[in-house]
């Protein structure tokens, strides 16, 4: 099994060595994009991502993020990981800009630890801790726009399914139970904006 994994890894790396990917027609040959998710800031999450092109029409995107919130009633921190295989179905490379349309199946995993202020009948509170995991998968459709030779703007939408394990609603009384809560299980919409640079 280990030998098979090593052979697959060598094939992937060597296939990327011969890919000729241009951010724009005036650029040298770049094959990598380092990205930061602007939309995840609305979820109190700092997320960075790395996209690697293997061919002009196929790339792999891996992202990791750290969530943190510290308010009067809730303290939360967590980790978020996601992997996407992107298939670029339309590409236009101009002298100073390029456009790519893609679709991408994705898998994601999240881990959270929350502390909530729980009040008893006498109005006295204690901090209660809950830890839980979430996994999910789905499909995204996006537009990747490169300009100024190396700057990249990535806008995407889509959705999928998410399942949370180990979540205790009684310890997370400040959550509304909506689709954007950390403990939500069900169908989830996705909408995001990433900005990055080629190298």
């Amino acid at each position: 099994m280990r030998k098979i994994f090593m052979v697959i890894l060598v094939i992937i790396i060597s296939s990327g060595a011969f890919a000729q990917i241009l951010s724009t027609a005036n650029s040298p040959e770049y094959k990598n994009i380092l990205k930061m998710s602007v939309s995840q800031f609305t979820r109190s999450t700092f997320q960075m991502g790395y996209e690697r092109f293997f061919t002009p029409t196929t790339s792999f995107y891996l992202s990791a993020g750290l969530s943190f919130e510290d308010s009067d009633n809730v303290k939360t921190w967590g980790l978020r990981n996601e992997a996407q295989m992107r298939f670029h179905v339309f590409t236009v490379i101009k002298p100073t800009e390029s456009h790519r349309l893609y679709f991408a199946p994705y898998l994601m995993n999240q881990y959270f630890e929350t502390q909530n202020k729980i009040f008893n009948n006498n109005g006295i509170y204690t901090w209660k801790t809950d830890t839980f995991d979430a996994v999910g998968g789905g499909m995204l459709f996006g537009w990747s726009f490169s300009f100024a030779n190396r700057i990249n703007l990535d806008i995407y939408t889509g959705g999928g399914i998410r399942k949370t394990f180990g979540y205790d609603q009684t310890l997370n009384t400040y959550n509304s139970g909506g689709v954007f809560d950390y403990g939500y299980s069900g169908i989830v919409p996705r909408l995001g904006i990433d900005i990055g640079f080629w190298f």
Side-chain angles (χ1 to χ4, degrees):
M1 184 70 176
R2 188 173 180 182
K3 290 180 181 179
I4 294 174
F5 176 74
M6 292 302 291
V7 169
I8 292 172
L9 185 62
V10 168
I11 290 171
I12 290 173
I13 291 172
S14 62
S15 67
F18 301 105
Q20 298 196 1
I21 311 301
L22 300 173
S23 53
T24 69
N26 292 335
S27 302
E29 295 178 3
Y30 299 120
K31 302 179 186 74
N32 308 289
I33 310 176
L34 184 64
K35 299 182 179 184
M36 179 181 66
S37 177
V38 178
S39 55
Q40 285 294 331
F41 284 128
T42 63
R43 304 274 296 148
S44 301
T45 301
F46 178 73
Q47 178 174 299
M48 296 292 292
Y50 169 73
E51 183 173 5
R52 170 72 176 180
F53 278 81
F54 299 115
T55 71
T57 59
T58 308
S59 65
F60 181 74
Y61 180 65
L62 184 65
S63 63
L66 177 66
S67 301
F68 182 73
E69 180 182 352
D70 190 355
S71 64
D72 291 338
N73 297 318
V74 179
K75 301 178 188 301
T76 302
W77 78 271
L79 301 172
R80 184 181 194 283
N81 302 299
E82 183 173 328
Q84 302 175 15
M85 193 68 190
R86 294 187 169 186
F87 301 96
H88 302 265
V89 295
F90 177 77
T91 301
V92 174
I93 297 176
K94 297 181 178 180
T96 59
E97 63 186 41
S98 67
H99 303 269
R100 288 179 170 85
L101 296 178
Y102 66 87
F103 69 92
Y106 73 89
L107 294 173
M108 73 89 183
N109 170 258
Q110 291 178 291
Y111 169 82
F112 288 103
E113 181 176 302
T114 62
Q115 289 183 311
N116 290 266
K117 192 182 284 186
I118 307 295
F119 290 87
N120 63 17
N121 294 332
N122 298 322
I124 300 172
Y125 70 85
T126 56
W127 288 96
K128 299 290 186 181
T129 302
D130 188 23
T131 59
F132 52 94
D133 291 283
V135 295
M139 184 70 70
L140 300 175
F141 179 77
W143 171 55
S144 180
F145 173 56
S146 297
F147 58 98
N149 289 337
R150 295 181 67 177
I151 306 301
N152 180 258
L153 179 66
D154 191 356
I155 301 172
Y156 56 88
T157 186
I161 189 166
R162 170 191 167 104
K163 176 64 178 170
T164 304
F165 299 93
Y167 180 73
D168 189 345
Q169 180 64 51
T170 62
L171 298 178
N172 294 274
T173 55
Y174 296 98
N175 287 341
S176 64
V179 68
F180 295 109
D181 281 346
Y182 294 129
Y184 175 78
S185 290
I187 303 298
V188 290
R190 292 284 303 273
L191 179 64
I193 300 172
D194 296 349
I195 190 163
F197 67 92
W198 289 81
F199 66 98

